[in-house]
Amino acid sequence: MILKYINTENKFYNIKQVAKEHFGMSDRLISKLKNKKLIFLNNEIAYINHVLSLNDIIEFNLEYPEESDNIVPIFQNLNILFEDECFIIVNKPPFMPIHPSENHYTDSLANGIRYYFKTINLNKKIRPLNRLDKDTSGICIFAKNEYIQENLIKQMNNNIFQKKYLAILDGILDKKEGTINAPISRKENSIIEREINFKSGKTAITDFKVIKEAQSYSLVEFELHTGRTHQIRVHSKFIGHPILGDSLYSYPCKFINRQALHAYKISFIHPITKSKMNIETKLPSDMEKLF
């Protein structure tokens, strides 16, 4: 990807202003492009502080190769929901971690993305933007370069990037929609488990809305306004209706052999085209069959 700007309005004094104010680049990325000599003015390598003239053409080349040797490329039948030169969005099945680990060295989603990148000759790092638990299914987005990653992280931090989930909760909720505002912290003496802690927890805000009900459980839509680990799982337990099958925050369930949680929709502004992106996927079969 090459970012291009033509100085038709003479708005910016130098190239650095174009990078920071027009494209919103971080100092880190600007420094990297400068050191790699990938900043161009009228097709010639340029200094970042070069003073601009009217109709100058500035280009930032983001196509430099990167290493991902720590991730083994393994073929997977990826369910690709959307792809362009900026990012790839896939529907992750349950029971698959995002990242490789000691027990999942070759069967993570990152392994499949790494393999796919090799088939399209894209030598870039694996950059997941939203991280789902291993047993949570649904939408995952991977940036194809550092600039896109930075842009989407900014949108997440500014609550522009919206993430919605569907979960099946144990029981029937008295209140059919609302907001859960309860701070979350790591549970004492536990590496994995989180809990509500009004003294030392970090702000966690989740909107919820009941979509459908059965005799003993409810399909609920959640929208995250913060990104705490296990946020929906902890908040569901907090309101007295844990997620069906969540063995960490509730108990195993005979109807489903994982937590019934699915990341079904994301909305954000495309970093290049500036158009609104809405990506959605259906409930997986193990959750859908319960309704």
Side-chain angles (χ1 to χ4, degrees), residues 248-265:
L248 183 61
Y249 295 104
S250 182
Y251 43 80
C253 173
K254 65 180 180 180
F255 302 118
I256 190 168
N257 60 347
R258 66 174 178 109
Q259 69 252 15
L261 180 60
H262 180 67
Y264 92 101
K265 185 176 183 179

Side-chain angles (χ1 to χ4, degrees), residues 1 24 54 81 106 113 127 163 165 192 212 220 237:
M1 175 190 292
L54 189 65
L81 303 173
T106 60
I113 295 293
R127 293 184 164 93
K163 294 174 279 186
Y165 296 73
I192 300 174
K212 194 181 294 186
V220 180
K237 179 182 178 181

Side-chain angles (χ1 to χ4, degrees), residues 233-244:
R233 299 167 69 184
V234 175
H235 274 177
S236 297
K237 179 182 178 181
F238 175 69
I239 63 173
H241 297 278
I243 295 176
L244 218 62

